[in-house]
Amino acid sequence: DLTASMRELGAAFGVSWTSPSCAGRIFHGVDGASQRQPLSCISREGPIHIDLMVGEPGTLWESSQPRLHHFAYWTDDLPGDITRLAEDG
């Protein structure tokens, strides 16, 4: 339930969300099968952004229950960020 997840996680993390959309992009799985981009929304606030996706049956993102799919991290200083994050616990 994307709407309930937006409400609950928004309150828990103090974030707001982009409008849910599925921009019509096509992704390809490891097996080469094409998959339509899932319905998703992204938190507007950072520095860490949350991307909520609807895991429809038969897609790469299929899920019978809420779960963490992946983390994505961009940086210009990976060694420095690793040190800082380790120091922060």
Side-chain angles (χ1 to χ4, degrees):
D1 183 338
L2 187 60
T3 302
S5 294
M6 291 168 69
R7 182 179 56 251
E8 293 170 16
L9 292 173
F13 294 117
V15 297
S16 61
W17 305 97
T18 61
S19 295
S21 69
C22 53
R25 290 190 229 154
I26 301 295
F27 294 92
H28 297 276
V30 175
D31 62 0
S34 61
Q35 302 278 326
R36 170 175 67 81
Q37 179 178 355
L39 180 65
S40 69
C41 61
I42 301 170
S43 61
R44 294 182 188 279
E45 295 78 21
I48 296 173
H49 295 271
I50 303 165
D51 185 359
L52 297 177
M53 296 183 283
V54 176
E56 295 291 340
T59 68
L60 298 169
W61 303 277
E62 181 174 0
S63 178
S64 61
Q65 60 187 12
R67 67 182 175 93
L68 177 64
H69 185 271
H70 69 275
F71 284 101
Y73 191 89
W74 291 268
T75 181
D76 292 325
D77 179 17
L78 184 58
D81 286 350
I82 290 171
T83 299
R84 180 183 57 78
L85 291 167
E87 289 171 355
D88 288 349

